[in-house]
Amino acid sequence: MIIGIGNLDRGDDAAGRLVARALGHKLPSHIISVCELSGDALALVEKMKQAPTVFIIDACVSGEKAGDIKRIDLRYQALLSQQRDVSSHGFGLSAAIDLAGILGQLPEICIIYAIEGENYALGAAVSLPVQQAIDKVVGRIEEEIVNFIPMKGTEHA
Amino acid sequence: MTRKTIKVDYLARVEGEGGLKVTIEEGVVKNAQLNIFEPPRFFEAFMRGRHYTETPDIVARICGICPVAYQMSAVHALENIFGIQLTGQLRALRRLLYCGEWIESHVLHIYMLHAPDFLGYEGAIDMARDHSELVRQGLEMKKIGNDILTLVGGREIHPINVRVGGFHRAPRKSELVPLVEKLKWARETAIKTVQWAAELDFPDRQRDYIFVSLKHEAEYPFNEGRIISNQGLNISAQDYDAYFSEQHVPYSTALQSRLRQCGSAYLVGPLARYNLNYDQLSPLTKELAHTAGVAGVCRNPYQSILVRALEVVYAFDEALRILDGYQQPDYSFVDVTLKAGRGFAATEAPRGLLYHRYELDQSGIIIDAQIVPPTSQNQACIEEDLKEFIGGFLDLPEEKLQHRCEQTVRNYDPCISCATHFLKLEIDRV
């Protein structure tokens, strides 16, 4: 299963959903299911338990250059949350992963692709570095699915 | 003179920002300022120059948590221009869709955001370690709200099936029937949620609020009704601007709403709906409210978790009632005769009254739009709660006091997408 997370109206925050959408067009639906989420952690927890192998793609802010790609395989590495992502209303990706783990609902293989964004303004377009990163991530996930040999650890593209 | 500052930063998804600053002088809370970043204002500008038919899909994207509310207020306001009043199964379907959103939104808040405050946890993740069954229960209930949105709204996020005049497609009865058993299970679980919430340890705080909500003569309000208050207000949505004003405060990008005549803050949301519409709740919900000790009246904002739980029971009850009588209508929308004009509507979003106004030209292009979300309406009331209640908690250790401030804000379930994202909390002791 491919899960793209983000907000299409907030510039680079759309990255995850655009990757998922592109993969949905490229890969046959009997091989892979694709969904887009707005960031509601509970919906993500619910989705994650529906498949043994899940790729999650999301935009991130970690201080790297825009367009930087991180790949995290949760079998080998924990997702580091730089900030406690509890707000007055929702939860983020790290909270969803934590929650799914506690509830025993994490898929056997869960691979996260995080794309560093630079512009999250309302109504902004996806920046060029992030657009290029989206294309790269689409290619890499496609390759992983085709070969079905998940790589280990975190890597920079 | 000593000054102590406590500052906490929270980060969620990048969808807005807000902050809270509380100033305490010589043991008295002198000031509380809530700063909320407010995307609906940007959407008002986006709407201008668009064709009215695009409205439901655009406004649904204001908020990932309450897209139905934005769609409902928008289509009702536009239908107000065209003189359309939906009846029968189309009207029932809109109500069913709203049930789904209330369930999703309220269950998220009850189980994941508010419950940790009462059970003494930092957040839902820590709570889940000790109360995994409680969290699973919440997840299952929320999923059923999600199922309603998918079936009636066309997809789980930012529904696409709503249009001016009805729906793009009305579901067949056979598509909705599988929901019935799930809803029955969920209603039983919602009853247990009320019983659980009634046993929580609530701070004993009450205020003499001005409650504002819709009121309908025959039903608990979702889509329709007059705007009333417990102080005698009784107006149509068309008169909203004459009775409510929006004011700029220097520390916030969001406008604060107040009653125009007296300048008072007012409260919208579950507590207001409940106090003004108790008689319209289902017999089951009223029976539970009676047992929980809040029959008819609840003025303690910390008990809003209990009122939300009662509204969840009602939403499941109402969804079952609608499904029981549902037949696929012969048409999924009524025809629209285009005309220029101004239209107004208010509906009940999970967190309170959501007002929309649109002005169209002859060709159906939007020339003006106004959207007043519930969170900005509640801002002044939240600040007043903090000023009035926090003074009674000043003997708490700093960390607990800070937590109590956050809990006081959370009573209102302010919306991250409509309102806050970064929540920066600062307490100044002078």
Side-chain angles (χ1 to χ4, degrees):
Chain A
M1 177 182 279
I2 308 281
I3 304 174
I5 303 172
N7 184 335
L8 295 173
D9 301 317
R10 285 216 171 248
D12 293 339
D13 199 35
R17 289 178 63 180
L18 294 177
V19 168
R21 204 167 278 190
L23 286 165
H25 290 134
K26 292 183 99 164
L27 299 168
S29 58
H30 67 273
I31 290 181
I32 200 95
S33 60
V34 174
C35 77
E36 297 179 35
L37 295 176
S38 61
D40 170 5
L42 298 195
L44 180 57
V45 172
E46 184 56 38
K47 284 286 172 202
M48 279 194 290
K49 75 175 185 187
Q50 294 173 14
T53 303
V54 171
F55 289 87
I56 298 171
I57 311 99
D58 197 4
C60 72
V61 180
S62 70
E64 297 287 345
K65 275 196 317 188
D68 181 75
I69 299 166
K70 287 188 183 63
R71 177 185 181 278
I72 300 149
D73 185 333
L74 289 181
R75 290 174 300 172
Y76 308 108
Q77 189 181 4
L79 179 67
L80 295 176
S81 175
Q82 292 183 320
Q83 294 97 355
R84 194 74 190 134
D85 52 2
V86 178
S87 174
S88 59
H89 195 87
F91 302 87
L93 176 59
S94 61
I97 299 291
D98 286 350
L99 189 57
I102 290 164
L103 299 178
Q105 292 181 192
L106 258 186
E108 200 178 319
I109 301 172
C110 184
I111 296 166
I112 297 164
Y113 274 92
I115 299 173
E116 187 81 14
E118 64 179 2
N119 185 359
Y120 293 92
L122 191 70
V126 176
S127 66
L128 185 61
V130 169
Q131 188 54 59
Q132 290 165 342
I134 288 169
D135 295 340
K136 270 191 204 169
V137 172
V138 169
R140 292 186 65 178
I141 294 178
E142 191 179 15
E143 197 180 310
E144 287 200 49
I145 290 168
V146 170
N147 295 326
F148 204 63
I149 309 169
M151 295 172 278
K152 293 184 178 181
T154 301
E155 297 170 5
H156 285 264
Chain B
M1 185 172 71
T2 57
R3 169 180 286 230
K4 191 167 184 181
T5 301
I6 299 172
K7 201 167 137 184
V8 181
D9 292 315
Y10 292 113
L11 170 68
R13 299 190 62 72
V14 189
E15 286 210 316
E17 59 187 280
L20 172 66
K21 183 177 178 182
V22 179
T23 307
I24 301 160
E25 283 180 24
E26 295 175 1
V28 178
V29 179
K30 286 288 182 190
N31 203 11
Q33 296 179 336
L34 185 65
N35 172 11
I36 288 177
F37 176 86
E38 197 182 17
R41 300 298 164 191
F42 292 98
F43 277 83
E44 287 172 342
F46 286 167
M47 299 304 300
R48 290 183 203 120
R50 299 280 195 160
H51 196 258
Y52 82 89
T53 51
E54 296 181 86
T55 311
D57 292 340
I58 294 174
V59 297
R61 289 158 76 156
I62 292 174
C63 179
I65 303 293
C66 44
V68 170
Y70 281 94
Q71 287 188 322
M72 290 297 115
S73 286
V75 292
H76 281 285
L78 291 164
E79 286 162 4
N80 179 240
I81 298 175
F82 305 134
I84 295 170
Q85 181 83 34
L86 290 190
T87 56
Q89 298 297 337
L90 291 179
R91 183 180 187 278
L93 272 180
R94 284 196 174 166
R95 219 170 144 72
L96 178 63
L97 187 58
Y98 234 140
C99 286
E101 180 158 286
W102 276 27
I103 292 162
E104 275 201 303
S105 179
H106 277 2
V107 169
L108 172 70
H109 190 256
I110 291 167
Y111 283 94
M112 309 305 288
L113 300 169
H114 223 184
D117 285 338
F118 293 97
L119 298 180
Y121 293 95
E122 189 71 24
I125 308 302
D126 295 325
M127 187 181 80
R129 291 182 216 286
D130 297 335
H131 299 275
S132 60
E133 271 317 301
L134 193 68
V135 172
R136 274 201 189 89
Q137 191 170 289
L139 279 168
E140 281 301 311
M141 288 167 73
K142 184 175 179 293
K143 185 173 177 299
I144 293 166
N146 199 54
D147 290 344
I148 296 175
L149 247 70
T150 305
L151 279 167
V152 183
R155 66 180 183 193
E156 351 183 353
I157 56 166
H158 303 150
I160 49 167
N161 194 28
V162 173
R163 56 163 286 169
V164 175
F167 292 87
H168 291 288
R169 178 183 172 273
R172 291 188 300 274
K173 173 98 176 173
S174 60
E175 291 175 272
L176 297 181
V177 164
L179 276 178
V180 172
E181 285 309 308
K182 290 182 185 180
L183 286 166
K184 284 181 180 166
W185 172 87
R187 183 171 59 183
E188 288 307 307
T189 311
I191 291 169
K192 288 181 198 152
T193 304
V194 170
Q195 290 160 346
W196 164 83
E199 297 299 316
L200 295 172
D201 186 17
F202 299 108
D204 185 17
R205 298 287 188 278
Q206 296 198 25
R207 283 215 297 128
D208 191 15
Y209 292 105
I210 298 177
F211 292 124
V212 172
S213 83
L214 289 185
K215 175 88 177 172
H216 189 275
E217 72 269 14
E219 59 198 16
Y220 202 70
F222 284 120
N223 298 65
E224 295 171 21
R226 290 179 67 79
I227 300 169
I228 69 156
S229 79
N230 54 337
Q231 306 240 327
L233 183 77
N234 187 338
I235 60 169
S236 70
Q238 183 167 347
D239 294 326
Y240 181 90
D241 280 327
Y243 287 86
F244 297 90
S245 67
E246 295 184 278
Q247 299 168 358
H248 176 70
V249 287
Y251 50 85
S252 179
T253 54
L255 298 173
Q256 283 195 2
S257 297
R258 288 181 180 272
L259 284 162
R260 197 176 282 280
Q261 199 171 19
C262 57
S264 298
Y266 60 97
L267 184 152
V268 300
L271 223 53
R273 279 193 297 263
Y274 183 80
N275 281 279
L276 298 174
N277 295 280
Y278 180 78
D279 288 347
Q280 303 289 10
L281 286 166
S282 62
L284 170 66
T285 315
K286 282 195 269 197
E287 186 189 320
L288 287 164
H290 181 76
T291 310
V294 289
V297 181
C298 179
R299 292 179 176 276
N300 181 344
Y302 297 94
Q303 286 183 308
S304 62
I305 187 171
L306 178 55
V307 172
R308 276 190 192 86
L310 287 161
E311 285 198 334
V312 172
V313 172
Y314 175 77
F316 282 123
D317 226 10
E318 180 66 357
L320 279 162
R321 186 193 68 77
I322 292 167
L323 286 182
D324 188 44
Y326 181 72
Q327 292 298 332
Q328 186 182 19
D330 295 334
Y331 46 87
S332 62
F333 59 88
V334 297
D335 289 330
V336 171
T337 305
L338 188 60
K339 66 174 183 180
R342 301 174 89 197
F344 315 83
T347 69
E348 285 289 346
R351 48 197 59 68
L353 196 77
L354 172 60
Y355 170 74
H356 284 218
R357 172 179 58 77
Y358 296 94
E359 187 170 355
L360 300 185
D361 69 12
Q362 292 288 353
S363 55
I365 300 297
I366 295 170
I367 50 180
D368 195 22
Q370 184 188 6
I371 299 172
V372 186
T375 294
S376 74
Q377 295 184 76
N378 274 334
Q379 267 190 97
C381 207
I382 296 172
E383 291 180 350
E384 288 187 0
D385 274 9
L386 285 158
K387 275 187 237 171
E388 189 142 338
F389 296 152
I390 295 307
F393 298 122
L394 292 181
D395 54 340
L396 289 173
E398 210 66 51
E399 196 180 329
K400 289 204 159 123
L401 176 60
Q402 179 191 303
H403 174 261
R404 190 65 88 190
C405 288
E406 292 172 46
Q407 183 185 17
T408 304
V409 175
R410 268 194 288 272
N411 286 337
Y412 288 80
D413 188 15
C415 183
I416 187 172
S417 301
C418 308
T420 53
H421 186 68
F422 288 94
L423 179 60
K424 189 172 87 171
L425 176 64
E426 193 177 320
I427 299 176
D428 276 355
R429 285 179 187 269
V430 181

